Amino acid sequence: SNMRAQEIRALSKDDLEKELGESYREAVNIRFRLATRQLSDTSQARKIRKKIAQLKTIIRERELLEQLP
């Protein structure tokens, strides 16, 4: 699913973790479909990698914020 940064930031911690898990599964699926030539759109791999990076960044930001005194 296509989500903007604002939408991702609005998610709870549990939802972020869930979204990350789903994105990892989607990434594996995309890589498999590319490898077996069932998918010709190579930009999808880039998009899902970007989304994973975005989710990880936001999760990390929150962890750092929680550590502040």
Side-chain angles (χ1 to χ4, degrees):
S1 56
N2 258 334
M3 294 180 87
R4 284 198 204 69
Q6 306 100 283
E7 293 176 282
I8 293 173
R9 278 180 207 283
L11 295 174
S12 69
K13 193 172 189 219
D14 286 346
D15 285 340
L16 281 170
E17 301 281 353
K18 201 177 86 193
E19 194 71 37
L20 186 60
E22 283 170 12
S23 297
Y24 273 125
R25 277 192 294 279
E26 198 180 330
V28 169
N29 186 7
I30 287 169
R31 278 200 300 270
F32 177 79
R33 296 206 327 264
L34 282 169
T36 56
R37 308 220 183 281
Q38 292 169 24
L39 181 70
S40 54
D41 179 10
T42 52
S43 72
Q44 282 196 356
R46 252 194 320 278
K47 282 182 198 142
I48 196 70
R49 274 203 306 272
K50 186 180 173 190
K51 185 179 177 186
I52 288 169
Q54 220 172 22
L55 285 163
K56 283 171 124 174
T57 299
I58 293 166
I59 289 168
R60 185 75 187 120
E61 274 173 6
R62 294 213 186 150
E63 284 170 357
L64 291 172
L65 283 171
E66 281 167 16
Q67 287 169 19
L68 292 175

Short mmCIF file of all heavy atoms in Angstrom, two decimals:
data_model
loop_
_atom_site.label_atom_id
_atom_site.label_comp_id
_atom_site.label_asym_id
_atom_site.label_seq_id
_atom_site.Cartn_x
_atom_site.Cartn_y
_atom_site.Cartn_z
N SER A 1 0.84 -1.20 0.00
CA SER A 1 0.00 0.00 0.00
C SER A 1 0.87 1.24 0.00
O SER A 1 1.87 1.29 0.69
CB SER A 1 -0.89 -0.01 1.23
OG SER A 1 -0.12 -0.12 2.39
N ASN A 2 0.48 2.22 -0.77
CA ASN A 2 1.25 3.45 -0.85
C ASN A 2 0.90 4.41 0.28
O ASN A 2 -0.24 4.80 0.43
CB ASN A 2 1.00 4.15 -2.19
CG ASN A 2 2.14 3.91 -3.16
OD1 ASN A 2 3.27 3.66 -2.73
ND2 ASN A 2 1.86 3.96 -4.45
N MET A 3 1.88 4.74 1.10
CA MET A 3 1.65 5.64 2.22
C MET A 3 2.65 6.78 2.18
O MET A 3 3.81 6.57 1.87
CB MET A 3 1.80 4.89 3.54
CG MET A 3 0.77 3.83 3.78
SD MET A 3 1.08 3.03 5.36
CE MET A 3 0.19 4.11 6.46
N ARG A 4 2.19 7.96 2.53
CA ARG A 4 3.09 9.10 2.63
C ARG A 4 3.74 9.12 4.00
O ARG A 4 3.26 8.48 4.93
CB ARG A 4 2.30 10.39 2.45
CG ARG A 4 1.93 10.67 1.01
CD ARG A 4 1.55 12.13 0.87
NE ARG A 4 0.68 12.38 -0.27
CZ ARG A 4 -0.58 11.96 -0.35
NH1 ARG A 4 -1.12 11.27 0.63
NH2 ARG A 4 -1.29 12.22 -1.42
N ALA A 5 4.82 9.88 4.13
CA ALA A 5 5.54 9.98 5.40
C ALA A 5 4.61 10.43 6.54
O ALA A 5 4.69 9.90 7.64
CB ALA A 5 6.72 10.94 5.27
N GLN A 6 3.72 11.40 6.25
CA GLN A 6 2.81 11.88 7.31
C GLN A 6 1.91 10.75 7.81
O GLN A 6 1.65 10.62 9.00
CB GLN A 6 1.90 13.01 6.83
CG GLN A 6 2.58 14.20 6.23
CD GLN A 6 2.52 14.12 4.72
OE1 GLN A 6 3.26 13.37 4.10
NE2 GLN A 6 1.65 14.91 4.10
N GLU A 7 1.43 9.93 6.86
CA GLU A 7 0.55 8.82 7.22
C GLU A 7 1.31 7.79 8.07
O GLU A 7 0.78 7.26 9.03
CB GLU A 7 0.03 8.12 5.96
CG GLU A 7 -0.91 8.97 5.13
CD GLU A 7 -1.32 8.26 3.85
OE1 GLU A 7 -0.51 8.24 2.90
OE2 GLU A 7 -2.42 7.72 3.83
N ILE A 8 2.55 7.53 7.67
CA ILE A 8 3.37 6.57 8.42
C ILE A 8 3.64 7.09 9.83
O ILE A 8 3.53 6.36 10.80
CB ILE A 8 4.69 6.27 7.67
CG1 ILE A 8 4.40 5.53 6.36
CG2 ILE A 8 5.63 5.44 8.54
CD1 ILE A 8 5.60 5.32 5.46
N ARG A 9 3.97 8.39 9.93
CA ARG A 9 4.24 8.98 11.24
C ARG A 9 3.04 8.95 12.18
O ARG A 9 3.20 8.94 13.40
CB ARG A 9 4.71 10.44 11.09
CG ARG A 9 6.17 10.53 10.75
CD ARG A 9 6.64 11.94 10.59
NE ARG A 9 7.78 11.99 9.68
CZ ARG A 9 9.01 11.65 10.03
NH1 ARG A 9 9.28 11.24 11.24
NH2 ARG A 9 9.99 11.71 9.15
N ALA A 10 1.84 8.93 11.60
CA ALA A 10 0.62 8.91 12.41
C ALA A 10 0.34 7.53 13.02
O ALA A 10 -0.50 7.41 13.91
CB ALA A 10 -0.57 9.36 11.55
N LEU A 11 1.04 6.51 12.56
CA LEU A 11 0.80 5.14 13.05
C LEU A 11 1.33 4.93 14.47
O LEU A 11 2.31 5.56 14.87
CB LEU A 11 1.48 4.12 12.13
CG LEU A 11 0.97 4.01 10.69
CD1 LEU A 11 1.85 3.05 9.90
CD2 LEU A 11 -0.47 3.55 10.65
N SER A 12 0.68 4.03 15.19
CA SER A 12 1.17 3.66 16.52
C SER A 12 2.39 2.75 16.35
O SER A 12 2.67 2.26 15.25
CB SER A 12 0.08 2.89 17.28
OG SER A 12 -0.12 1.62 16.69
N LYS A 13 3.09 2.49 17.47
CA LYS A 13 4.29 1.66 17.41
C LYS A 13 3.96 0.25 16.89
O LYS A 13 4.68 -0.29 16.05
CB LYS A 13 4.93 1.57 18.80
CG LYS A 13 6.32 0.99 18.72
CD LYS A 13 7.06 1.06 20.04
CE LYS A 13 8.50 0.67 19.78
NZ LYS A 13 9.11 -0.15 20.79
N ASP A 14 2.85 -0.31 17.37
CA ASP A 14 2.44 -1.64 16.93
C ASP A 14 2.14 -1.65 15.43
O ASP A 14 2.50 -2.59 14.72
CB ASP A 14 1.20 -2.12 17.70
CG ASP A 14 1.54 -2.53 19.13
OD1 ASP A 14 2.74 -2.70 19.44
OD2 ASP A 14 0.60 -2.67 19.94
N ASP A 15 1.45 -0.61 14.98
CA ASP A 15 1.11 -0.52 13.56
C ASP A 15 2.36 -0.36 12.69
O ASP A 15 2.43 -0.91 11.59
CB ASP A 15 0.15 0.64 13.29
CG ASP A 15 -1.28 0.32 13.75
OD1 ASP A 15 -1.59 -0.88 13.91
OD2 ASP A 15 -2.07 1.26 13.95
N LEU A 16 3.34 0.40 13.21
CA LEU A 16 4.59 0.57 12.48
C LEU A 16 5.29 -0.78 12.31
O LEU A 16 5.76 -1.12 11.23
CB LEU A 16 5.53 1.53 13.22
CG LEU A 16 5.26 3.03 13.09
CD1 LEU A 16 6.12 3.81 14.06
CD2 LEU A 16 5.50 3.51 11.67
N GLU A 17 5.37 -1.54 13.42
CA GLU A 17 6.02 -2.86 13.39
C GLU A 17 5.29 -3.79 12.41
O GLU A 17 5.92 -4.52 11.65
CB GLU A 17 6.03 -3.50 14.79
CG GLU A 17 6.74 -2.68 15.86
CD GLU A 17 8.26 -2.80 15.82
OE1 GLU A 17 8.78 -3.62 15.05
OE2 GLU A 17 8.92 -2.06 16.57
N LYS A 18 3.96 -3.73 12.45
CA LYS A 18 3.15 -4.57 11.56
C LYS A 18 3.39 -4.20 10.09
O LYS A 18 3.58 -5.06 9.24
CB LYS A 18 1.66 -4.42 11.92
CG LYS A 18 0.80 -5.57 11.45
CD LYS A 18 -0.65 -5.40 11.90
CE LYS A 18 -1.38 -4.55 10.89
NZ LYS A 18 -2.69 -4.04 11.32
N GLU A 19 3.39 -2.90 9.83
CA GLU A 19 3.61 -2.39 8.48
C GLU A 19 5.00 -2.80 7.97
O GLU A 19 5.18 -3.15 6.81
CB GLU A 19 3.46 -0.87 8.50
CG GLU A 19 3.32 -0.21 7.15
CD GLU A 19 2.00 -0.47 6.45
OE1 GLU A 19 0.95 -0.52 7.12
OE2 GLU A 19 2.03 -0.60 5.21
N LEU A 20 5.99 -2.75 8.89
CA LEU A 20 7.36 -3.14 8.53
C LEU A 20 7.41 -4.62 8.17
O LEU A 20 8.01 -4.99 7.16
CB LEU A 20 8.32 -2.83 9.69
CG LEU A 20 9.81 -3.04 9.44
CD1 LEU A 20 10.32 -2.17 8.29
CD2 LEU A 20 10.62 -2.75 10.71
N GLY A 21 6.77 -5.45 8.97
CA GLY A 21 6.72 -6.89 8.68
C GLY A 21 6.08 -7.17 7.33
O GLY A 21 6.59 -7.97 6.54
N GLU A 22 4.98 -6.48 7.07
CA GLU A 22 4.27 -6.66 5.79
C GLU A 22 5.15 -6.19 4.62
O GLU A 22 5.16 -6.81 3.56
CB GLU A 22 2.96 -5.88 5.79
CG GLU A 22 1.86 -6.56 6.59
CD GLU A 22 0.62 -5.67 6.80
OE1 GLU A 22 0.52 -4.62 6.14
OE2 GLU A 22 -0.22 -6.05 7.63
N SER A 23 5.87 -5.10 4.84
CA SER A 23 6.74 -4.57 3.79
C SER A 23 7.88 -5.52 3.48
O SER A 23 8.26 -5.69 2.32
CB SER A 23 7.29 -3.20 4.19
OG SER A 23 6.22 -2.28 4.33
N TYR A 24 8.45 -6.14 4.54
CA TYR A 24 9.50 -7.13 4.31
C TYR A 24 8.98 -8.30 3.48
O TYR A 24 9.63 -8.76 2.55
CB TYR A 24 10.05 -7.67 5.64
CG TYR A 24 11.16 -6.84 6.23
CD1 TYR A 24 11.09 -6.34 7.52
CD2 TYR A 24 12.32 -6.57 5.51
CE1 TYR A 24 12.11 -5.58 8.07
CE2 TYR A 24 13.35 -5.81 6.04
CZ TYR A 24 13.24 -5.32 7.32
OH TYR A 24 14.25 -4.58 7.85
N ARG A 25 7.76 -8.77 3.84
CA ARG A 25 7.17 -9.88 3.08
C ARG A 25 6.91 -9.47 1.63
O ARG A 25 7.17 -10.25 0.71
CB ARG A 25 5.86 -10.34 3.74
CG ARG A 25 6.09 -11.30 4.89
CD ARG A 25 4.80 -11.96 5.34
NE ARG A 25 3.87 -11.00 5.93
CZ ARG A 25 3.94 -10.56 7.20
NH1 ARG A 25 4.90 -10.99 8.00
NH2 ARG A 25 3.06 -9.70 7.64
N GLU A 26 6.45 -8.26 1.45
CA GLU A 26 6.19 -7.74 0.10
C GLU A 26 7.50 -7.65 -0.70
O GLU A 26 7.53 -7.96 -1.88
CB GLU A 26 5.53 -6.36 0.20
CG GLU A 26 4.84 -5.92 -1.07
CD GLU A 26 4.18 -4.55 -0.94
OE1 GLU A 26 3.74 -4.19 0.17
OE2 GLU A 26 4.11 -3.85 -1.97
N ALA A 27 8.58 -7.23 -0.03
CA ALA A 27 9.88 -7.11 -0.68
C ALA A 27 10.38 -8.47 -1.16
O ALA A 27 10.89 -8.60 -2.28
CB ALA A 27 10.90 -6.48 0.27
N VAL A 28 10.21 -9.49 -0.33
CA VAL A 28 10.62 -10.85 -0.69
C VAL A 28 9.80 -11.31 -1.90
O VAL A 28 10.34 -11.86 -2.86
CB VAL A 28 10.42 -11.82 0.50
CG1 VAL A 28 10.58 -13.27 0.06
CG2 VAL A 28 11.41 -11.49 1.62
N ASN A 29 8.51 -11.05 -1.84
CA ASN A 29 7.59 -11.39 -2.92
C ASN A 29 7.99 -10.71 -4.24
O ASN A 29 8.04 -11.35 -5.30
CB ASN A 29 6.18 -10.97 -2.49
CG ASN A 29 5.10 -11.41 -3.45
OD1 ASN A 29 5.36 -12.14 -4.40
ND2 ASN A 29 3.90 -10.95 -3.21
N ILE A 30 8.31 -9.41 -4.16
CA ILE A 30 8.73 -8.66 -5.35
C ILE A 30 10.03 -9.22 -5.91
O ILE A 30 10.15 -9.43 -7.12
CB ILE A 30 8.87 -7.15 -5.02
CG1 ILE A 30 7.48 -6.52 -4.83
CG2 ILE A 30 9.64 -6.41 -6.12
CD1 ILE A 30 7.51 -5.12 -4.27
N ARG A 31 11.01 -9.49 -5.03
CA ARG A 31 12.28 -10.05 -5.49
C ARG A 31 12.08 -11.40 -6.17
O ARG A 31 12.70 -11.69 -7.19
CB ARG A 31 13.26 -10.21 -4.31
CG ARG A 31 13.98 -8.93 -3.96
CD ARG A 31 15.24 -9.19 -3.17
NE ARG A 31 14.98 -9.89 -1.93
CZ ARG A 31 14.74 -9.27 -0.77
NH1 ARG A 31 14.70 -7.96 -0.71
NH2 ARG A 31 14.51 -9.97 0.32
N PHE A 32 11.19 -12.21 -5.59
CA PHE A 32 10.91 -13.52 -6.18
C PHE A 32 10.28 -13.37 -7.56
O PHE A 32 10.68 -14.03 -8.52
CB PHE A 32 9.98 -14.32 -5.25
CG PHE A 32 9.59 -15.66 -5.83
CD1 PHE A 32 10.48 -16.73 -5.77
CD2 PHE A 32 8.36 -15.85 -6.43
CE1 PHE A 32 10.15 -17.96 -6.30
CE2 PHE A 32 8.02 -17.08 -6.97
CZ PHE A 32 8.91 -18.14 -6.91
N ARG A 33 9.29 -12.46 -7.66
CA ARG A 33 8.60 -12.27 -8.94
C ARG A 33 9.55 -11.68 -9.99
O ARG A 33 9.45 -12.02 -11.17
CB ARG A 33 7.36 -11.39 -8.75
CG ARG A 33 6.32 -12.06 -7.87
CD ARG A 33 4.88 -11.63 -8.10
NE ARG A 33 4.69 -10.25 -8.49
CZ ARG A 33 4.39 -9.26 -7.66
NH1 ARG A 33 4.28 -9.44 -6.35
NH2 ARG A 33 4.20 -8.05 -8.13
N LEU A 34 10.48 -10.83 -9.57
CA LEU A 34 11.47 -10.30 -10.51
C LEU A 34 12.39 -11.42 -10.98
O LEU A 34 12.70 -11.54 -12.17
CB LEU A 34 12.31 -9.20 -9.85
CG LEU A 34 11.68 -7.82 -9.72
CD1 LEU A 34 12.53 -6.93 -8.83
CD2 LEU A 34 11.48 -7.16 -11.08
N ALA A 35 12.82 -12.26 -10.05
CA ALA A 35 13.75 -13.35 -10.36
C ALA A 35 13.12 -14.37 -11.30
O ALA A 35 13.79 -14.93 -12.17
CB ALA A 35 14.22 -14.04 -9.07
N THR A 36 11.83 -14.60 -11.13
CA THR A 36 11.13 -15.57 -11.98
C THR A 36 10.47 -14.90 -13.19
O THR A 36 9.65 -15.50 -13.87
CB THR A 36 10.07 -16.35 -11.17
OG1 THR A 36 9.16 -15.41 -10.57
CG2 THR A 36 10.70 -17.19 -10.09
N ARG A 37 10.83 -13.64 -13.41
CA ARG A 37 10.34 -12.87 -14.55
C ARG A 37 8.81 -12.75 -14.61
O ARG A 37 8.24 -12.64 -15.68
CB ARG A 37 10.85 -13.46 -15.88
CG ARG A 37 12.35 -13.66 -15.92
CD ARG A 37 12.91 -13.28 -17.27
NE ARG A 37 14.34 -13.51 -17.37
CZ ARG A 37 15.27 -12.68 -16.87
NH1 ARG A 37 14.92 -11.59 -16.24
NH2 ARG A 37 16.55 -12.95 -17.02
N GLN A 38 8.16 -12.78 -13.46
CA GLN A 38 6.71 -12.58 -13.42
C GLN A 38 6.38 -11.10 -13.26
O GLN A 38 5.23 -10.71 -13.32
CB GLN A 38 6.09 -13.36 -12.25
CG GLN A 38 6.16 -14.86 -12.40
CD GLN A 38 5.79 -15.57 -11.12
OE1 GLN A 38 5.08 -15.01 -10.29
NE2 GLN A 38 6.27 -16.78 -10.94
N LEU A 39 7.42 -10.31 -13.00
CA LEU A 39 7.22 -8.89 -12.75
C LEU A 39 8.20 -8.12 -13.61
O LEU A 39 9.41 -8.34 -13.55
CB LEU A 39 7.48 -8.60 -11.27
CG LEU A 39 7.29 -7.17 -10.78
CD1 LEU A 39 5.83 -6.78 -10.79
CD2 LEU A 39 7.85 -7.01 -9.38
N SER A 40 7.68 -7.22 -14.44
CA SER A 40 8.58 -6.47 -15.32
C SER A 40 8.88 -5.08 -14.76
O SER A 40 9.80 -4.41 -15.19
CB SER A 40 7.97 -6.35 -16.71
OG SER A 40 6.68 -5.79 -16.62
N ASP A 41 8.06 -4.64 -13.78
CA ASP A 41 8.21 -3.30 -13.21
C ASP A 41 9.27 -3.28 -12.11
O ASP A 41 9.00 -3.58 -10.96
CB ASP A 41 6.86 -2.83 -12.66
CG ASP A 41 6.93 -1.45 -12.03
OD1 ASP A 41 7.97 -0.78 -12.19
OD2 ASP A 41 5.96 -1.05 -11.37
N THR A 42 10.51 -2.94 -12.49
CA THR A 42 11.61 -2.98 -11.53
C THR A 42 11.54 -1.84 -10.51
O THR A 42 12.19 -1.91 -9.48
CB THR A 42 12.97 -2.90 -12.26
OG1 THR A 42 12.95 -1.77 -13.13
CG2 THR A 42 13.24 -4.16 -13.06
N SER A 43 10.74 -0.81 -10.79
CA SER A 43 10.64 0.31 -9.85
C SER A 43 9.97 -0.10 -8.54
O SER A 43 10.15 0.54 -7.52
CB SER A 43 9.89 1.48 -10.48
OG SER A 43 8.52 1.17 -10.58
N GLN A 44 9.19 -1.18 -8.58
CA GLN A 44 8.50 -1.64 -7.37
C GLN A 44 9.48 -2.05 -6.28
O GLN A 44 9.24 -1.81 -5.11
CB GLN A 44 7.57 -2.81 -7.70
CG GLN A 44 6.29 -2.35 -8.33
CD GLN A 44 5.22 -3.43 -8.31
OE1 GLN A 44 5.46 -4.56 -7.89
NE2 GLN A 44 4.05 -3.08 -8.77
N ALA A 45 10.59 -2.67 -6.67
CA ALA A 45 11.61 -3.08 -5.71
C ALA A 45 12.19 -1.86 -5.00
O ALA A 45 12.37 -1.86 -3.78
CB ALA A 45 12.71 -3.88 -6.41
N ARG A 46 12.46 -0.81 -5.79
CA ARG A 46 12.98 0.43 -5.20
C ARG A 46 11.98 1.05 -4.24
O ARG A 46 12.34 1.51 -3.15
CB ARG A 46 13.29 1.45 -6.32
CG ARG A 46 14.76 1.66 -6.55
CD ARG A 46 15.04 2.89 -7.40
NE ARG A 46 14.12 3.08 -8.50
CZ ARG A 46 14.21 2.47 -9.69
NH1 ARG A 46 15.15 1.59 -9.92
NH2 ARG A 46 13.33 2.74 -10.64
N LYS A 47 10.71 1.07 -4.65
CA LYS A 47 9.67 1.69 -3.82
C LYS A 47 9.54 0.99 -2.47
O LYS A 47 9.42 1.64 -1.44
CB LYS A 47 8.32 1.65 -4.54
CG LYS A 47 8.19 2.72 -5.60
CD LYS A 47 6.80 2.67 -6.24
CE LYS A 47 6.78 3.40 -7.57
NZ LYS A 47 5.95 2.71 -8.57
N ILE A 48 9.54 -0.34 -2.48
CA ILE A 48 9.37 -1.07 -1.23
C ILE A 48 10.61 -0.92 -0.34
O ILE A 48 10.50 -0.80 0.87
CB ILE A 48 8.98 -2.56 -1.46
CG1 ILE A 48 8.42 -3.18 -0.18
CG2 ILE A 48 10.13 -3.39 -1.98
CD1 ILE A 48 7.06 -2.68 0.24
N ARG A 49 11.80 -0.86 -0.96
CA ARG A 49 13.02 -0.64 -0.16
C ARG A 49 12.97 0.73 0.51
O ARG A 49 13.36 0.89 1.67
CB ARG A 49 14.27 -0.71 -1.05
CG ARG A 49 14.81 -2.11 -1.22
CD ARG A 49 16.27 -2.12 -1.60
NE ARG A 49 16.57 -1.31 -2.77
CZ ARG A 49 16.52 -1.76 -4.02
NH1 ARG A 49 16.17 -2.99 -4.27
NH2 ARG A 49 16.82 -0.95 -5.02
N LYS A 50 12.48 1.73 -0.21
CA LYS A 50 12.36 3.07 0.33
C LYS A 50 11.38 3.09 1.49
O LYS A 50 11.61 3.73 2.52
CB LYS A 50 11.90 4.04 -0.76
CG LYS A 50 11.90 5.48 -0.30
CD LYS A 50 11.45 6.44 -1.39
CE LYS A 50 11.31 7.84 -0.80
NZ LYS A 50 10.67 8.77 -1.73
N LYS A 51 10.26 2.37 1.32
CA LYS A 51 9.25 2.32 2.38
C LYS A 51 9.81 1.66 3.64
O LYS A 51 9.57 2.12 4.76
CB LYS A 51 8.01 1.57 1.88
CG LYS A 51 6.89 1.59 2.89
CD LYS A 51 5.67 0.88 2.39
CE LYS A 51 4.61 0.87 3.46
NZ LYS A 51 3.45 0.06 3.06
N ILE A 52 10.56 0.57 3.45
CA ILE A 52 11.18 -0.12 4.59
C ILE A 52 12.14 0.82 5.32
O ILE A 52 12.12 0.92 6.54
CB ILE A 52 11.89 -1.41 4.13
CG1 ILE A 52 10.84 -2.48 3.75
CG2 ILE A 52 12.83 -1.94 5.22
CD1 ILE A 52 11.40 -3.70 3.03
N ALA A 53 12.94 1.54 4.55
CA ALA A 53 13.89 2.49 5.14
C ALA A 53 13.15 3.58 5.93
O ALA A 53 13.57 3.96 7.03
CB ALA A 53 14.76 3.12 4.05
N GLN A 54 12.04 4.05 5.35
CA GLN A 54 11.24 5.10 5.99
C GLN A 54 10.66 4.60 7.32
O GLN A 54 10.73 5.30 8.33
CB GLN A 54 10.09 5.44 5.04
CG GLN A 54 9.75 6.89 4.94
CD GLN A 54 8.74 7.14 3.83
OE1 GLN A 54 8.01 6.24 3.42
NE2 GLN A 54 8.69 8.37 3.36
N LEU A 55 10.10 3.39 7.30
CA LEU A 55 9.52 2.82 8.51
C LEU A 55 10.58 2.64 9.59
O LEU A 55 10.38 3.00 10.74
CB LEU A 55 8.87 1.46 8.20
CG LEU A 55 7.53 1.52 7.46
CD1 LEU A 55 7.20 0.17 6.84
CD2 LEU A 55 6.41 1.94 8.40
N LYS A 56 11.75 2.10 9.19
CA LYS A 56 12.83 1.88 10.15
C LYS A 56 13.31 3.19 10.76
O LYS A 56 13.60 3.27 11.95
CB LYS A 56 14.01 1.18 9.47
CG LYS A 56 13.79 -0.31 9.25
CD LYS A 56 14.90 -0.86 8.40
CE LYS A 56 15.59 -2.00 9.10
NZ LYS A 56 16.59 -2.64 8.20
N THR A 57 13.38 4.23 9.92
CA THR A 57 13.81 5.55 10.39
C THR A 57 12.84 6.09 11.45
O THR A 57 13.26 6.58 12.49
CB THR A 57 13.91 6.54 9.21
OG1 THR A 57 14.88 6.04 8.29
CG2 THR A 57 14.33 7.92 9.69
N ILE A 58 11.55 6.00 11.16
CA ILE A 58 10.54 6.52 12.08
C ILE A 58 10.52 5.73 13.39
O ILE A 58 10.43 6.30 14.48
CB ILE A 58 9.16 6.58 11.40
CG1 ILE A 58 9.20 7.63 10.28
CG2 ILE A 58 8.06 6.91 12.40
CD1 ILE A 58 8.03 7.57 9.31
N ILE A 59 10.65 4.40 13.29
CA ILE A 59 10.72 3.56 14.49
C ILE A 59 11.94 3.95 15.33
O ILE A 59 11.85 4.12 16.55
CB ILE A 59 10.77 2.06 14.11
CG1 ILE A 59 9.40 1.61 13.57
CG2 ILE A 59 11.17 1.19 15.31
CD1 ILE A 59 9.40 0.24 12.89
N ARG A 60 13.08 4.15 14.68
CA ARG A 60 14.32 4.53 15.37
C ARG A 60 14.19 5.92 16.02
O ARG A 60 14.61 6.12 17.15
CB ARG A 60 15.48 4.53 14.36
CG ARG A 60 16.83 4.80 14.99
CD ARG A 60 17.35 3.60 15.75
NE ARG A 60 18.57 3.95 16.48
CZ ARG A 60 18.70 3.87 17.81
NH1 ARG A 60 17.70 3.45 18.56
NH2 ARG A 60 19.83 4.19 18.39
N GLU A 61 13.58 6.86 15.29
CA GLU A 61 13.36 8.21 15.85
C GLU A 61 12.59 8.14 17.16
O GLU A 61 12.92 8.82 18.12
CB GLU A 61 12.52 9.05 14.88
CG GLU A 61 13.30 9.77 13.81
CD GLU A 61 12.39 10.45 12.79
OE1 GLU A 61 11.14 10.45 12.98
OE2 GLU A 61 12.91 10.98 11.80
N ARG A 62 11.54 7.30 17.16
CA ARG A 62 10.71 7.19 18.36
C ARG A 62 11.47 6.56 19.51
O ARG A 62 11.33 6.97 20.65
CB ARG A 62 9.47 6.35 18.06
CG ARG A 62 8.58 7.07 17.07
CD ARG A 62 7.13 6.78 17.30
NE ARG A 62 6.35 7.38 16.25
CZ ARG A 62 5.19 6.90 15.81
NH1 ARG A 62 4.69 5.83 16.37
NH2 ARG A 62 4.55 7.50 14.85
N GLU A 63 12.30 5.54 19.19
CA GLU A 63 13.11 4.91 20.23
C GLU A 63 14.05 5.93 20.85
O GLU A 63 14.24 5.94 22.06
CB GLU A 63 13.92 3.74 19.63
CG GLU A 63 13.08 2.51 19.37
CD GLU A 63 13.80 1.44 18.56
OE1 GLU A 63 14.97 1.69 18.14
OE2 GLU A 63 13.22 0.37 18.32
N LEU A 64 14.65 6.77 20.02
CA LEU A 64 15.57 7.78 20.53
C LEU A 64 14.84 8.82 21.38
O LEU A 64 15.34 9.25 22.41
CB LEU A 64 16.30 8.47 19.36
CG LEU A 64 17.30 7.60 18.60
CD1 LEU A 64 17.80 8.32 17.36
CD2 LEU A 64 18.48 7.21 19.49
N LEU A 65 13.64 9.20 20.94
CA LEU A 65 12.84 10.16 21.70
C LEU A 65 12.45 9.60 23.07
O LEU A 65 12.45 10.32 24.06
CB LEU A 65 11.57 10.56 20.94
CG LEU A 65 11.76 11.55 19.79
CD1 LEU A 65 10.49 11.69 18.98
CD2 LEU A 65 12.21 12.92 20.33
N GLU A 66 12.15 8.30 23.11
CA GLU A 66 11.77 7.67 24.39
C GLU A 66 12.93 7.67 25.39
O GLU A 66 12.70 7.64 26.60
CB GLU A 66 11.32 6.21 24.14
CG GLU A 66 9.90 6.11 23.60
CD GLU A 66 9.60 4.72 23.05
OE1 GLU A 66 10.35 3.77 23.36
OE2 GLU A 66 8.60 4.59 22.31
N GLN A 67 14.16 7.68 24.87
CA GLN A 67 15.32 7.63 25.74
C GLN A 67 15.69 8.99 26.34
O GLN A 67 16.51 9.06 27.25
CB GLN A 67 16.54 7.10 24.97
CG GLN A 67 16.47 5.61 24.69
CD GLN A 67 17.52 5.16 23.71
OE1 GLN A 67 18.51 5.85 23.49
NE2 GLN A 67 17.32 4.01 23.09
N LEU A 68 15.09 10.04 25.83
CA LEU A 68 15.41 11.37 26.35
C LEU A 68 14.96 11.49 27.81
O LEU A 68 13.91 10.98 28.18
CB LEU A 68 14.71 12.47 25.52
CG LEU A 68 15.19 12.66 24.09
CD1 LEU A 68 14.33 13.68 23.37
CD2 LEU A 68 16.64 13.10 24.05
N PRO A 69 15.75 12.17 28.64
CA PRO A 69 15.39 12.31 30.07
C PRO A 69 14.11 13.11 30.27
O PRO A 69 13.75 13.95 29.48
CB PRO A 69 16.59 13.07 30.67
CG PRO A 69 17.30 13.69 29.52
CD PRO A 69 17.01 12.84 28.32
#
